[in-house]
Amino acid sequence: MKPDAHVLFSEEQIARRIAELGPEIGKVYPGQELTVVGLMKGCLVFMADLIRKIPTDLSVHLVRVTSQREEEAGTARTEIIYTTTVPYENRDILILDDIVDTGITLNFLLDHIRERKPKSLRVCTLIDKPGERKIDVHPDWAAFTLREPLEDRFLVGYGLDYAESYRGLPYIGTIPRPGAGRPRGVQ
Ligand code: IMP
Ligand code: MG
């Protein structure tokens, strides 16, 4: 049986937002070929829906990053543990992320890609939590922005997991935040 969560953004809300976002993104790349790089695994459902709404030719790549974070110390050890062969150099790169929270994961990936000299580099995230930043990074697009802290709630569904569960929910929901610390590990 599918697990259950409090609905935060319904299937219909998500579909409407993505139908706006795709053409908005497309406008920035007129007649260009886009290289979309999805951050696994949380981006997968978002990516599948969004790429069908971007009216531009695009290729699709995937990257997986691990991070072991010590919240209190604000330190991070982040590394790429899987990647398709992405031709970054001189390409228009669009990163698709699930949640930008502290910004540590995204900042790491941006640095990695910048070294490879793309023509342009932009970020679209499903959810932006600007209030949680430890590193100052700004996605170019966010499907949804959560300005208020979620306090004791944790986001799940539509690709987002808690301990690998909930990814198959068709909506974005919340569950009580498990434990005191945030569940971390492989993204
Ligand atoms: P950060 O921006 O480096 O802190 O990492 C963001 C990543 O943490 C996201 O890509 C998610 O995988 C994970 N994450 C943060 N908050 C949540 C949440 O509320 N639900 C599920 N995953 C989360
Ligand atoms: Mg995750």
Side-chain angles (χ1 to χ4, degrees):
M1 219 176 71
K2 264 199 196 312
D4 199 12
H6 282 291
V7 178
L8 182 63
F9 300 111
S10 69
E11 207 174 338
E12 293 73 25
Q13 271 176 295
I14 298 170
R16 269 201 304 274
R17 184 64 188 117
I18 287 178
E20 290 173 356
L21 206 49
E24 241 179 73
I25 293 172
K27 264 191 237 154
V28 175
Y29 305 95
Q32 283 150 275
E33 192 192 309
L34 193 54
T35 301
V36 174
V37 180
L39 248 172
M40 289 210 290
K41 301 177 193 169
C43 78
L44 291 175
V45 180
F46 178 45
M47 188 175 197
D49 284 346
L50 183 63
I51 59 173
R52 286 179 286 174
K53 299 292 180 191
I54 301 178
T56 259
D57 193 17
L58 51 83
S59 58
V60 167
H61 288 272
L62 291 166
V63 170
R64 195 168 184 202
V65 170
T66 310
S67 40
Q68 276 110 29
R69 265 160 286 181
E70 291 159 84
E71 293 264 311
E72 323 76 59
T75 57
R77 201 180 72 228
T78 311
E79 55 187 331
I80 291 174
I81 54 166
Y82 171 83
T83 178
T84 56
T85 309
V86 195
Y88 289 111
E89 198 180 320
N90 210 26
R91 300 289 180 109
D92 292 301
I93 306 290
L94 176 66
I95 298 176
L96 295 188
D97 203 351
D98 58 350
I99 301 178
V100 184
D101 188 41
T102 64
I104 292 171
T105 313
L106 180 59
N107 186 59
F108 167 81
L109 191 65
L110 284 170
D111 281 348
H112 172 87
I113 297 176
R114 276 190 203 108
E115 281 173 24
R116 286 155 180 81
K117 307 271 182 276
K119 193 192 324 169
S120 69
L121 178 57
R122 293 187 178 88
V123 177
C124 177
T125 186
L126 175 62
I127 291 171
D128 190 10
K129 293 181 183 172
E132 304 288 332
R133 283 302 192 286
K134 287 183 177 161
I135 296 186
D136 192 25
V137 286
H138 304 274
D140 298 272
W141 296 276
F144 301 104
T145 300
L146 300 180
R147 303 218 173 265
E148 302 300 319
L150 282 171
E151 308 288 352
D152 55 349
R153 308 292 294 175
F154 193 74
L155 294 165
V156 292
Y158 193 70
L160 308 173
D161 74 305
Y162 170 65
E164 295 299 330
S165 278
Y166 299 94
R167 290 196 202 274
L169 291 181
Y171 56 88
I172 298 169
T174 66
I175 56 170
R177 181 177 289 280
R182 211 162 297 179
R184 296 296 196 188
V186 172
Q187 304 295 298

